Amino acid sequence: MKKIKIMLAEDHLVVRNGIKLLLDSQDNFEVVGEVGSGKEILDLLSAGVETDILITDLGMHNVDGIQLIKEVKARNLAIKVIVLTMLDCEQHVAKSFECGAKAYLVKNVAAEELIFCVNHVAKGGRFLCEELMIKFIDKLIEKNATQINKIDPAELDLSSRELEVLELLGEGLTNLEISKRLFLSKRTVEGHRQSLIDKTKSKNTPALIKFALQNGLIH
């Protein structure tokens, strides 16, 4: 059985040793290098050490994880990169995949999931750990729920003049300032403002502005 060759870049020795022990426990895995920085990985690659999989942290000295992913890609090496990090924000996940990573795991991932990920990526797959996947799905559900609750502006039957007044209210202008801007009487502007409050069922002007922002009527 051909073994999957793995390099490991992790600057915390205790964590690195723990990951190595787990990888070494698998009959089809072979750790060919385990170092504390991206620079040391590049040195191993330059020295001719071959690997199939590179598991790397993101926050390391000298050459960090993102730089390492970019460099591996730039060298045209057939190495599949797995990110294993404490960083769980969307920006780091997106940046890692954009730069060429094939998988992204957080460090509290279960041993079984890490092993599955290595095997899956070695076969040509891509992987996002369950914790992050559920987090992003929950965020998407919340976003969709918010959008569903939004009111269609057409249903409010707002006139173009009311929308103009609403936009200026959103900019913080007073009724008097709006009247001068739109060449209307102050009483007319007050009428439009009250009409907006009534149509949107808002309690007052601040509530009206909040409603308008939430429903995309002003930006």
Side-chain angles (χ1 to χ4, degrees), residues 108-147:
N108 57 348
V109 65
E112 295 80 7
E113 193 172 3
L114 173 57
I115 292 168
F116 173 84
C117 175
V118 173
N119 283 309
H120 183 66
V121 169
K123 294 174 184 176
R126 303 174 77 191
F127 190 81
L128 179 64
C129 68
E130 182 181 7
E131 180 179 328
L132 290 178
M133 183 171 61
I134 295 301
K135 176 183 176 181
F136 295 157
I137 288 174
D138 286 343
K139 188 172 182 178
L140 183 61
I141 291 172
E142 182 180 347
K143 181 180 179 181
N144 286 341
T146 302
Q147 290 177 338

Side-chain angles (χ1 to χ4, degrees), residues 77-94:
L77 299 172
I79 299 172
K80 300 176 176 68
V81 181
I82 296 173
V83 172
L84 180 60
T85 180
M86 290 295 293
L87 303 172
D88 63 353
C89 65
E90 292 179 34
Q91 292 86 346
H92 287 104
V93 176

Side-chain angles (χ1 to χ4, degrees), residues 161-162 165-166 169 173-175 178 186-200 202-206 208-209:
R161 183 62 83 185
E162 285 172 337
V165 171
L166 181 58
L169 284 171
L173 273 66
T174 64
N175 288 341
I178 293 172
K186 183 181 176 184
R187 178 168 294 183
T188 299
V189 172
E190 290 173 348
H192 286 313
R193 180 177 60 81
Q194 189 58 50
S195 176
L196 287 163
I197 289 174
D198 294 340
K199 287 182 178 181
T200 59
S202 301
K203 291 182 179 180
N204 47 39
T205 301
L208 168 64
I209 301 305

